[in-house]
């Protein structure tokens, strides 16, 4: 079976920019003269003051395929879309298109506030398709898609911000094309209108069209795309499934780790030597819902009464998730000591967390020594299997994983007046009671 002909082929695409305005103008004139002369381009290189916005980017897109472009701000996503749209000219590499392109970039920037929505639609359609007959036929489609009602014949300066972007998106959406280029444009209007936009994109894909979506929203990326490309400093660092791409995008967007400072004892009686969290087998990878061990090693400089405590917090220590204090008072002799705390099922969702610890005086609860309070906490990572639903919980900032059981069918619930057969092993919790529900029988006094 022959492979489909790519609708878009990007090969070793590179684009450079200059940080200095005057020097950039000189380079621009030199590039124009270079293009006019029959001189073969050499290998990619940087001139003084330049940097790579895109560096050797290559990929293909087939008909019916939706690809998400992810990455941190400044990674080169919008530059890539502008090159594919023909707004910018590549310095090296090539872009080959097998159909028409409809770019939707910087939504709403081209609207004239003094003209009506209808007049803006006619101008926008003229720029995108050029055919007068097509413009006349498509204007009603713009009005229906934007859902502006009588405001469609009102000057745009009286529109709200949401109405403007809805009009701009409708102008772009109704133009037939083979490849759509979308740059952070699906956050338009209310939730119902966003769903309408996504349904429109899906119909476009079903007809054999393709699209490239630049977004930071994993919900939209997963709703439309099954493949992702991750950019970092102008280079492709990952190309694969959309879940893997989003997961790696989260990793790149993590804040820099706080610089650790030296830990010192509060009163000189105790010094904390080490603090760590590990799995049941002693490994550093902690699984959500699995057993974990917290461990603190400290040195007592004389005989002293102690009580150890752990605190699990958010990575920036602004949220305290749990405090785990030693139940018994320990009188320790001078020397090295270790305390361990066992968590049978760690109830944390996927993410990066902080661990603080202290050795306290049991009477006053004043710290002999602490770690992670005045200094950076010890960071640890909790893993869970990668899936579409787990990515949404990470995006929402969920911290806790709660053990739970779903009841598959409504009839499995215990209605009032039913008797429970002795056989059966399935368990459901109802009003605090535990009920076997494999077999239910009607009350003996009830009708047959």
């Amino acid at each position: 079976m022959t492979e489909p002909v790519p609708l878009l082929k990007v090969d070793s695409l590179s684009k450079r920019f200059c940080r200095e305005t005057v020097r950039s103008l000189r380079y621009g004139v030199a590039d124009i003269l270079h293009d006019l002369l029959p001189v073969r381009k050499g290998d990619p290189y940087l001139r003084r003051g330049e940097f790579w916005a895109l560096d050797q980017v290559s990929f293909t897109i087939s008909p019916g395929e939706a690809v998400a472009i992810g990455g941190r701000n400044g990674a080169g996503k919008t530059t890539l879309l502008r090159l594919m749209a023909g707004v910018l000219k590549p310095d090296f590499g090539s872009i080959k298109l097998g159909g028409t392109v409809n770019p939707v970039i910087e939504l709403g920037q081209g609207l004239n506030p003094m003209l009506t929505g209808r007049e803006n639609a006619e101008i926008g359609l003229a720029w995108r398709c050029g055919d007068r007959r097509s413009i006349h036929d498509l204007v009603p489609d713009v009005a229906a898609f934007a859902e502006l009602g009588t405001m469609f014949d009102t000057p745009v300066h009286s529109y709200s911000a949401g109405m403007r972007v809805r009009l701009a998106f409708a102008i772009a959406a109704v133009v037939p094309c083979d490849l759509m280029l979308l740059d952070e444009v699906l956050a338009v209007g209310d939730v119902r209108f966003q769903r309408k936009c996504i349904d429109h994109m899906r119909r476009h894909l079903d007809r054999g069209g393709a699209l490239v979506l630049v977004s930071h929203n994993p919900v939209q990326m997963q709703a439309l795309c099954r493949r992702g490309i991750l950019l970092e400093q102008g280079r492709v660092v990952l190309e694969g499934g959309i879940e893997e791409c989003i997961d790696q995008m989260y990793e790149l967007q993590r804040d820099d780790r706080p610089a650790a400072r030296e830990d010192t004892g509060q009163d000189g009686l105790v010094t904390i030597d080490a603090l760590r969290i590990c799995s049941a087998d002693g490994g550093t990878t902690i699984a959500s819902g699995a057993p974990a061990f917290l461990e603190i090693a400290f040195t007592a400089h004389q005989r002293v009464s102690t009580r150890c405590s752990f605190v699990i917090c958010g990575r920036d220590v602004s949220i305290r998730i749990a405090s785990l204090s030693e139940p018994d008072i320990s009188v320790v002799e001078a020397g090295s000591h270790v305390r361990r705390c066992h968590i049978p099922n760690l109830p944390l969702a996927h993410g990066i967390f902080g661990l603080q610890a202290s050795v306290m005086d049991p009477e006053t609860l004043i710290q002999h020594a602490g770690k992670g309070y005045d200094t950076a906490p010890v960071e640890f990572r909790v893993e869970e299997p990668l899936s579409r639903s787990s990515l949404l919980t990470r995006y929402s900032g969920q911290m806790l994983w709660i053990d739970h059981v779903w009841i598959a069918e409504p009839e499995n619930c215990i209605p009032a007046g039913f008797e429970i057969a002795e056989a059966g092993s399935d368990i459901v919790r109802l009003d605090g009671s535990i009920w076997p529900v494999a077999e239910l029988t009607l009350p003996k006094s009830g009708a047959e």
Side-chain angles (χ1 to χ4, degrees):
M1 183 177 180
T2 59
E3 295 183 0
V5 178
L7 185 60
L8 172 70
K9 184 176 182 180
V10 176
D11 185 20
S12 301
L13 189 66
S14 299
K15 181 64 180 178
R16 58 193 177 188
F17 291 120
C18 184
R19 295 183 177 88
E20 305 171 30
T21 303
V22 176
R23 193 182 301 275
S24 176
L25 294 174
R26 290 205 300 266
Y27 288 159
V29 173
D31 290 340
I32 292 173
L33 294 175
H34 188 274
D35 290 339
L36 293 176
L37 298 175
V39 179
R40 178 182 174 275
K41 285 189 176 182
D43 295 329
Y45 63 95
L46 288 177
R47 295 167 290 194
R48 181 180 176 185
E50 288 186 326
F51 66 94
W52 290 119
L54 288 175
D55 188 9
Q56 300 289 312
V57 173
S58 300
F59 61 89
T60 61
I61 297 179
S62 302
E65 190 174 20
V67 178
I69 308 292
R72 293 187 289 187
N73 291 331
K77 305 184 298 296
T78 300
T79 299
L80 177 59
L81 252 63
R82 288 175 176 172
L83 287 167
M84 291 189 290
V87 177
L88 295 176
K89 184 175 181 295
D91 291 312
F92 300 94
S94 63
I95 301 174
K96 295 181 180 179
L97 290 166
T100 57
V101 179
N102 186 9
V104 188
I105 304 173
E106 296 181 0
L107 198 61
Q109 294 298 314
L111 299 179
N112 188 326
M114 302 309 297
L115 301 180
T116 65
R118 184 181 301 276
E119 292 166 338
N120 273 284
E122 293 172 348
I123 294 173
L125 292 171
W127 177 76
R128 290 179 181 273
C129 58
D131 184 7
R132 184 178 295 273
R133 181 174 298 177
S134 298
I135 296 172
H136 182 268
D137 294 338
L138 290 175
V139 168
D141 295 337
V142 174
F145 197 99
E147 300 179 355
L148 297 176
T150 58
M151 294 295 291
F152 190 61
D153 292 299
T154 303
V156 170
H157 67 74
S158 61
Y159 286 14
S160 66
M163 294 169 68
R164 294 189 184 197
V165 294
R166 283 169 61 172
L167 173 62
F169 186 86
I171 295 172
V174 301
V175 177
C177 67
D178 297 306
L179 176 64
M180 290 199 72
L181 307 177
L182 308 174
D183 187 11
E184 298 283 4
V185 298
L186 290 183
V188 293
D190 53 25
V191 174
R192 188 185 63 82
F193 190 81
Q194 292 180 35
R195 187 180 298 113
K196 180 178 181 179
C197 295
I198 291 177
D199 289 341
H200 177 79
M201 297 299 101
R202 287 173 173 165
R203 289 194 296 271
H204 169 76
L205 295 171
D206 292 340
R207 292 192 295 265
L211 67 86
V212 177
L213 171 66
V214 168
S215 177
H216 292 94
N217 189 321
V219 178
Q220 295 173 357
M221 294 169 75
Q222 291 186 92
L224 288 170
C225 307
R226 295 294 174 266
R227 179 173 153 224
I229 296 174
L230 190 61
L231 295 178
E232 176 68 6
Q233 296 182 351
R235 286 181 171 270
V236 175
V237 295
L238 177 66
E239 182 176 358
I242 188 63
E243 287 84 6
E244 183 184 6
C245 180
I246 294 174
D247 184 54
Q248 188 63 30
M249 184 174 71
Y250 285 151
E251 293 300 309
L252 292 176
Q253 292 176 344
R254 284 170 44 193
D255 296 331
D256 294 332
R257 179 171 177 159
R261 293 171 286 174
E262 242 181 85
D263 288 288
T264 57
Q266 300 290 328
D267 53 17
L269 298 179
V270 174
T271 301
I272 295 177
D273 302 315
L275 173 63
R276 73 177 187 131
I277 180 172
C278 62
S279 61
D281 59 2
T284 57
T285 300
I286 315 298
S288 180
F293 287 90
L294 309 180
E295 185 177 283
I296 180 174
F298 63 93
T299 299
H301 300 291
Q302 65 182 53
R303 180 183 171 88
V304 64
S305 297
T306 64
R307 173 175 281 170
C308 295
S309 175
F310 295 102
V311 172
I312 298 175
C313 57
R315 191 168 185 240
D316 61 355
V317 305
S318 62
I319 299 177
R320 176 174 289 202
I321 300 173
S323 296
L324 311 171
S325 296
E326 193 176 14
D328 301 320
I329 300 173
S330 300
V331 179
V332 299
E333 301 294 336
S336 299
H337 303 273
V338 175
R339 293 288 186 273
R340 302 190 85 194
C341 178
H342 176 222
I343 302 176
N345 300 289
L346 187 68
L348 297 178
H350 183 103
I352 305 294
F353 300 90
L355 180 63
Q356 301 169 323
S358 61
V359 180
M360 302 177 292
D361 175 81
E363 297 297 329
T364 64
L365 298 183
I366 296 175
Q367 288 185 358
H368 290 310
K371 187 174 181 64
Y373 294 92
D374 297 326
T375 63
V378 172
E379 289 187 358
F380 66 95
R381 179 184 180 87
V382 177
E383 300 277 3
E384 65 178 332
L386 186 62
S387 65
R388 292 172 64 85
S389 60
S390 68
L391 284 172
L392 295 182
T393 61
R394 300 178 204 181
Y395 174 69
S396 65
Q398 177 177 315
M399 289 187 173
L400 293 180
W401 176 87
I402 299 176
D403 193 7
H404 60 283
V405 177
W406 280 91
I407 302 172
E409 300 292 340
E411 56 265 28
N412 285 346
C413 297
I414 310 299
F418 274 63
E419 293 181 353
I420 309 302
E422 293 183 0
S425 58
D426 293 338
I427 300 297
V428 64
R429 299 181 185 275
L430 184 66
D431 297 331
S433 301
I434 300 178
W435 300 82
V437 295
E439 296 183 17
L440 297 177
T441 59
L442 287 170
K444 297 177 181 178
S445 59
E448 294 291 337

